[in-house]
Amino acid sequence: MADTQETLDLSSYVALGDSFTEGLNDARPDGLYAGWADRLARLLAAQRPLGDFRYANLAVRGRLLDQIAEEQVPRVAEIRPDLVTLCAGGNDILRPGSDPDTVAERFEAAVVELKQHAGTVLICTGFDTRGVPVLGLLRGKIATYNGHLRAIADRHGATVADLWSLRSVHDRRAWSEDRLHLSPEGHQRVALLAARSLGLPLGPEQDPEAPWPAAPVLTTAEQRRENLQWAREFLVPWVGRRLRGESSGDNIEAKRPELLPL
């Protein structure tokens, strides 16, 4: 793993990935998305003198691993940041017939390239989808992919933010209505986990596993009605896009393509 003492003196950060890192569905007033990477950048900037931290976010929703490797990874050689985060491969794993072993091979090639041009590389494992409708069926594939990611981190000295072990996101309130993307509070939990993985000093009120407030318990009928509504509004369109070969990221550009002061 990366030396946490070195990571405390980070002055530049580039985030790579798909919708998870772009920040869906953590809406900002300007219509763009914030997300865990933006939130992590602000935590990092707070460790530096005012104006002495720069940040770029190249992530675009819907991107597959090969697209990220082709479009985003080469930019790191130009920018040469102190920190780069690579959270990718999830869209590949969700595709029918995908092989987590071969996806992991391509992910490792990207990590090897990034290590040449960035001081610290942080990667994220996939979430545990136990109990999640539809996605729970892919739990075994995700676990296999995660095993590869941890081995890749060990081989190349990368830092890991272990989302699989983040229990707080098992709460429904960590997820937005589509159940595929985090809520604002869910993004905050991931940002705190990433910060802790990098060795940032966090206060007691910044615990990614802090308990949630009590919530009303839904009846079986209410849960069934909620699941049916979710399937109509989100699951069916999502499956349809994949059958048509469409991506939610078509004609979307990175929200912060240049390394700018934060």
Side-chain angles (χ1 to χ4, degrees):
M1 298 298 176
D3 188 330
T4 56
Q5 294 303 312
E6 293 182 4
T7 61
L8 295 179
D9 190 30
L10 303 171
S11 63
S12 55
Y13 166 33
V14 175
L16 312 180
D18 51 31
S19 61
F20 171 59
T21 301
E22 184 185 345
L24 277 66
N25 287 318
D26 185 7
R28 301 188 327 201
D30 62 2
L32 298 178
Y33 293 104
W36 71 270
D38 286 21
R39 292 168 180 266
L40 173 61
R42 295 198 175 280
L43 290 170
L44 293 168
Q47 309 296 313
R48 308 282 305 178
L50 186 63
D52 191 31
F53 184 84
R54 296 176 299 154
Y55 168 57
N57 189 319
L58 310 183
V60 177
R61 68 197 74 172
R63 289 298 192 262
L64 298 169
L65 177 56
D66 287 346
Q67 293 173 309
I68 293 169
E70 179 182 350
E71 300 168 5
Q72 301 176 27
V73 170
R75 292 290 315 281
V76 175
E78 305 169 14
I79 300 173
R80 306 187 73 87
D82 293 335
L83 169 68
V84 61
T85 58
L86 175 65
C87 302
N91 288 325
D92 299 76
I93 297 299
L94 293 178
R95 291 201 160 195
S98 63
D99 180 3
D101 299 334
T102 58
V103 176
E105 290 177 2
R106 303 200 303 274
F107 187 95
E108 183 164 18
V111 169
V112 169
E113 182 173 348
L114 293 174
K115 285 294 292 183
Q116 299 177 43
H117 307 295
T120 298
V121 175
L122 181 144
I123 66 175
C124 299
T125 64
F127 292 102
D128 185 355
T129 58
R130 177 182 56 188
V132 179
V134 182
L135 296 184
L137 300 174
L138 301 174
R139 190 175 185 233
K141 287 176 66 174
I142 296 170
T144 300
Y145 188 54
N146 285 350
H148 283 301
L149 295 182
R150 294 187 186 94
I152 291 168
D154 287 341
R155 285 195 291 269
H156 301 288
T159 300
V160 177
D162 188 9
L163 302 180
W164 181 276
S165 66
L166 186 61
R167 293 167 296 179
S168 62
V169 296
H170 295 172
D171 191 289
R172 177 69 184 82
R173 289 167 288 182
W175 298 89
S176 61
E177 289 186 350
D178 67 8
R179 302 186 186 180
L180 294 171
H181 302 100
L182 294 168
S183 66
E185 178 61 24
H187 278 287
Q188 178 66 8
R189 302 289 181 125
V190 171
L192 292 174
L193 175 69
R196 187 173 68 185
S197 302
L198 291 167
L200 263 67
L202 299 176
E205 75 287 354
Q206 295 176 301
D207 181 6
E209 295 284 22
W212 293 82
V217 178
L218 298 179
T219 66
T220 301
E222 289 171 332
Q223 291 178 8
R224 185 181 302 112
R225 188 161 51 249
E226 188 179 81
N227 287 340
L228 288 172
Q229 181 179 355
W230 166 75
R232 284 195 303 267
E233 294 186 14
F234 300 105
L235 178 61
V236 172
W238 179 75
V239 172
R241 285 198 303 271
R242 271 143 188 80
L243 292 176
R244 294 189 299 270
E246 298 175 358
S247 169
S248 58
D250 291 344
N251 303 314
I252 300 291
E253 298 182 355
K255 64 180 181 181
R256 193 180 175 95
E258 303 299 331
L259 197 65
L260 300 172
L262 186 69

